[in-house]
Amino acid sequence: MDTVIPKLVVVKGLSAQTYCITSDSISLGRALSNDFVISAEGVSRIHARIFKVGSGYHIEDMGSTNGTFIGEQQIKKETELRDGDVIGLGRSVALSFVFPLKPEKEAAQILDLSDEAEPVIRSAIDSGEREPSPRLISTIEIPSDIQFLRRTYQRLALLYQVNNSVGSMTDLDQLFERIAVIVVNLKKADRVAILLQDEQKELVPAVVKEKAEGAVHHPMHVNRAIVQKVIGEGIGILSDDGNDPRGAEGHSGRGVIGSVICGPLKRKEKIIGAIYVACLNQNEEFDEEDLKLLIAVCNEASIVIDNAYSYREIEELNKGLEEKVRQRTADLERALENLKDAQLQLVQSERASAVAQLLSGIAHEINNPVNYIMNGIDSLSRYVRELRWMNESYCQAARQAGLDLSEIEAEADRLNFSEHMSMLSDLLLAIHDGARRTAEIVQSLRGFSRTGESEIKEIDLNQTIDESLRLLSYRLKEGVTVEIEKGDIPLHSCYASQMGQVFLNLLDNAEQAIGQDGRILIKTWCDPSWVFISISDSGKGIAPEIIPKIFDPFFTTKTENGGIGLGLSISMAIVKRHGGDIRVQSEPGSGTTFTISLPREAKPGAAERG
């Protein structure tokens, strides 16, 4: 069962306000120390106290000067409060105690909407009629009917209470609840039901109240014919209704009740429901003045109901507008992301094309002299071997012939001929190794120059990493070591040159992050679904606030080195295009690790097509 919070609603003497009772005991009075401070004439500093007893609440006067009242009765001792009680603090302030104990059954289950014969109507009043404004005449007649004055005062007081109590309410459920509490506290009223008519013209009870318990626990009999006539014709009806199951004086069984009055509720001149009030006392039946009073309450309530419905419509309209704004914002954000992706791809394509042309030209220009060197080294090595053999053969023949070679040998010692001949082989071998390495670099440049290729092929990722390292080897500082832990990973289908560009970018970043001494660690491994490549460095790390931005296009922290902030964004775009992702882990001072994850069942370009 939902928790019901009791409330105190100002109905007289103060501006309209509601105080929720959220503790087991509260004090009321003028002093600032009170829980509910009431600054009004006639209210004592500490006037009264309301406190919880079991599941209900009691009130006691705290020795106030002007007394505490429930209705017209001044309380002398602790008194139980009921839902709808009007608490008077002196004669200047009145508060309505609202504490509806939620019935176990819904309003629809505590109504007996009977289909009966047309009721006997004692009086019917058009709810749209207003009493004519009095004309000013030369003499003013003061009515001598005290009862008339009393009724007029009661009507004005009740309308003031309705306006002051519910005038600012926007929640329809609370509004109907409050109106029912006010109406059921009319002098002759015993039970009240507020019924609304749905789109299918069916009557739906909004709230049902009983003066004795506050909420009806037994089915309340409502004559459907009366309600339908009120709604259909827009009139107020006073009628004898002879079939309330509780009967007179609250006894069980079907019996005769006193009377009922029923008035229409409107919204924008359209009748949406009715207030149905029953009197169970046959000795004190409703009369036409009671019906007029109910119609006045219905008219006042209709204004507030119309405002509440309008507020609800505005809220729904605002929600709709907010949803449209959110949707439009989301569309714009997606469009912006698509624009960024298109821009990045265009930059990548243009950059790749320019780099490809440059690398292709460099590779071609270097390749020809390297080929000459490689071919010449082979021939030169053979010639050196032959000359060495010829020199040794001549020297041996001269010695056998008894020739004096002392001068030649002395000159050879002076020139360190033997040492030079020994070093010549080492020099030729070093030149050969250098030329071979240059040829490998040229081959790698040729591979990276094909960045615009559209062909997807299976490559060995470990081999591609080796090629990237060879291209960067000239930049590695002497104190930087590179370690590779190659796993047994399968061949991977991808755009080969693009994947090489990713490795080159990440290795280049790792080299720049390290000072004079450091370590780069490369690992490759896989699981049944993914292939992983991690590149770690022992550099200075990345600040936490920067990590979310490092893959953004044109974001860079290396402006002094000419960086334009596209390396990582292009790398991420390439990996995403292959269905993978790049994760980064870094702590300032502890280095950085970039981990690439690629699906084993690769579908390059799937992200673009999707």
Side-chain angles (χ1 to χ4, degrees):
M1 183 179 294
D2 296 337
T3 301
V4 180
I5 299 176
K7 303 179 182 68
L8 293 175
V9 180
V10 175
V11 296
K12 177 183 176 184
L14 297 171
S15 59
Q17 57 181 300
T18 300
Y19 179 82
C20 295
I21 303 175
T22 57
S23 59
D24 291 343
S25 176
I26 66 164
S27 60
L28 299 86
R30 285 189 297 106
L32 296 178
S33 59
N34 288 290
D35 299 292
F36 190 5
V37 179
I38 303 173
S39 301
E41 185 178 355
V43 178
S44 298
R45 287 180 55 79
I46 301 177
H47 198 109
R49 182 172 74 98
I50 296 176
F51 54 95
K52 191 171 185 179
V53 177
S55 60
Y57 284 81
H58 288 199
I59 186 171
E60 65 175 346
D61 185 80
M62 302 299 290
S64 66
T65 303
N66 296 311
T68 302
F69 299 82
I70 295 181
E72 298 295 326
Q73 186 68 36
Q74 183 174 359
I75 63 172
K76 300 296 184 182
K77 59 181 180 178
E78 174 186 329
T79 304
E80 181 181 1
L81 284 172
R82 295 176 180 271
D83 179 42
D85 280 347
V86 177
I87 303 169
L89 302 182
R91 293 296 184 180
S92 59
V93 174
L95 311 171
S96 178
F97 179 71
V98 182
F99 188 38
L101 296 175
K102 186 177 177 65
E104 295 181 0
K105 299 180 180 180
E106 297 295 334
Q109 296 176 289
I110 57 178
L111 275 186
D112 174 19
L113 283 166
S114 62
D115 290 311
E116 299 181 355
E118 190 73 15
V120 177
I121 300 174
R122 287 198 280 123
S123 179
I125 299 176
D126 186 350
S127 65
E129 292 181 356
R130 295 286 188 271
E131 296 181 6
S133 301
R135 292 183 296 108
L136 291 177
I137 55 178
S138 57
T139 59
I140 300 176
E141 297 181 1
I142 300 177
S144 59
D145 189 351
I146 300 301
Q147 187 67 22
F148 172 80
L149 290 176
R150 181 175 297 170
R151 283 182 177 274
T152 302
Y153 170 77
Q154 289 175 345
R155 178 186 298 186
L156 293 175
L158 182 62
L159 294 179
Y160 172 80
Q161 183 181 5
V162 171
N163 183 274
N164 200 33
S165 182
V166 303
S168 60
M169 283 188 174
T170 56
D171 184 278
L172 285 169
D173 292 334
Q174 294 181 8
L175 175 59
F176 291 136
E177 179 80 19
R178 185 77 280 221
I179 292 172
V181 169
I182 293 172
V183 174
V184 84
N185 279 286
L186 294 175
K187 184 177 179 181
K188 298 177 186 178
D190 292 303
R191 286 182 161 190
V192 60
I194 297 179
L195 303 106
L196 303 177
Q197 184 172 258
D198 63 17
E199 295 179 356
Q200 287 73 38
K201 304 298 183 181
E202 293 293 329
L203 295 178
V204 179
V207 64
V208 180
K209 283 288 180 183
E210 184 173 12
K211 181 174 291 184
E213 294 92 0
V216 178
H217 295 274
H218 307 285
M220 174 182 174
H221 171 77
V222 171
N223 191 310
R224 185 190 297 270
I226 292 177
V227 178
Q228 289 177 336
K229 189 174 185 66
V230 167
I231 294 176
E233 300 181 18
I235 59 174
I237 289 179
L238 164 62
S239 175
D240 295 324
D241 182 25
N243 292 308
D244 189 297
R246 281 186 50 179
E249 300 179 1
H251 294 292
S252 60
R254 189 174 290 274
V256 178
I257 67 171
S259 55
V260 298
I261 51 177
C262 186
L265 290 173
K266 299 180 181 179
R267 186 191 173 221
K268 297 185 184 301
E269 300 306 320
K270 178 183 177 181
I271 299 174
I272 61 171
I275 300 179
Y276 187 96
V277 189
C279 172
L280 302 181
N281 188 348
Q282 297 182 58
N283 298 320
E284 193 176 15
E285 296 181 341
F286 287 128
D287 56 27
E288 283 194 9
E289 292 299 322
D290 296 314
L291 179 58
K292 290 180 180 179
L293 183 59
L294 177 63
I295 291 175
V297 170
C298 288
N299 289 335
E300 192 70 28
S302 294
I303 297 172
V304 182
I305 290 171
D306 186 38
N307 292 338
Y309 271 108
S310 298
Y311 180 81
R312 176 181 286 185
E313 289 175 353
I314 291 172
E315 274 196 329
E316 292 175 353
L317 180 61
N318 286 338
K319 289 179 181 178
L321 289 175
E322 289 173 0
E323 181 60 32
K324 288 182 180 179
V325 169
R326 281 195 294 269
Q327 184 63 42
R328 183 59 178 162
T329 302
D331 292 341
L332 290 174
E333 288 177 349
R334 282 194 295 270
L336 179 60
E337 289 300 320
N338 292 337
L339 182 61
K340 286 183 177 179
D341 290 342
Q343 181 188 31
L344 184 60
Q345 291 180 26
L346 179 62
V347 171
Q348 178 188 354
S349 176
E350 293 296 327
R351 184 186 184 195
S353 177
V355 171
Q357 293 179 15
L358 177 62
L359 291 181
S360 178
I362 292 174
H364 177 75
E365 293 299 324
I366 294 177
N367 191 55
N368 288 334
V370 166
N371 285 335
Y372 291 139
I373 293 172
M374 290 290 291
N375 294 331
I377 285 295
D378 290 339
S379 299
L380 185 59
S381 296
R382 187 174 70 254
Y383 296 157
V384 168
R385 287 194 302 272
E386 292 173 353
L387 288 173
R388 180 179 292 173
W389 178 82
M390 288 295 296
N391 178 64
E392 291 175 352
S393 297
Y394 278 122
C395 289
Q396 184 178 1
R399 291 189 186 94
Q400 290 176 353
L403 298 176
D404 184 9
L405 301 176
S406 57
E407 290 183 7
I408 296 175
E409 290 175 349
E411 186 64 18
D413 290 339
R414 187 182 68 81
L415 294 175
N416 293 323
F417 181 76
S418 298
E419 184 179 353
H420 288 170
M421 290 299 293
S422 177
M423 291 176 60
L424 185 61
S425 298
D426 294 336
L427 288 172
L428 289 173
L429 182 60
I431 293 171
H432 184 275
D433 288 342
R436 178 184 56 78
R437 186 178 178 190
T438 303
E440 290 175 350
I441 292 175
V442 169
Q443 187 64 29
S444 297
L445 285 174
R446 282 180 166 177
F448 278 94
S449 70
R450 295 190 293 271
T451 53
E453 67 183 3
S454 58
E455 180 185 357
I456 299 172
K457 60 183 179 180
E458 286 190 341
I459 64 169
D460 184 341
L461 294 175
N462 286 330
Q463 181 180 341
T464 304
I465 293 172
D466 290 338
E467 292 177 354
S468 301
L469 278 173
R470 277 197 294 270
L471 288 174
L472 281 177
S473 59
Y474 75 97
R475 290 187 53 181
L476 293 177
K477 307 173 185 71
E478 291 186 3
V480 176
T481 60
V482 178
E483 300 177 17
I484 306 178
E485 298 179 8
K486 297 179 180 179
D488 185 13
I489 59 177
L491 296 177
H492 194 73
S493 296
C494 62
Y495 298 104
S497 60
Q498 292 185 9
M499 199 56 64
Q501 184 180 356
V502 172
F503 297 148
L504 195 63
N505 286 339
L506 295 181
L507 287 169
D508 184 52
N509 286 346
E511 186 277 332
Q512 292 184 46
I514 298 174
Q516 293 301 318
D517 299 305
R519 171 174 173 260
I520 297 175
L521 175 61
I522 305 169
K523 292 183 180 180
T524 61
W525 72 98
C526 65
D527 64 20
S529 302
W530 296 86
V531 176
F532 301 95
I533 306 99
S534 69
I535 298 176
S536 305
D537 65 68
S538 59
K540 57 186 178 181
I542 304 174
E545 64 272 14
I546 293 178
I547 289 179
K549 306 176 185 177
I550 60 175
F551 293 106
D552 291 346
F554 306 106
F555 177 81
T556 181
T557 58
K558 299 180 290 187
T559 52
E560 68 279 2
N561 296 329
I564 60 174
L566 285 175
L568 286 177
S569 59
I570 288 176
S571 297
M572 177 63 86
I574 291 173
V575 172
K576 289 284 189 183
R577 192 172 300 127
H578 287 77
D581 195 14
I582 303 178
R583 298 189 307 275
V584 58
Q585 292 177 306
S586 182
E587 292 183 9
S590 300
T592 303
T593 298
F594 287 90
T595 302
I596 303 169
S597 55
L598 297 167
R600 292 186 67 152
E601 299 297 329
K603 295 181 180 179
E608 291 177 338
R609 293 190 295 271

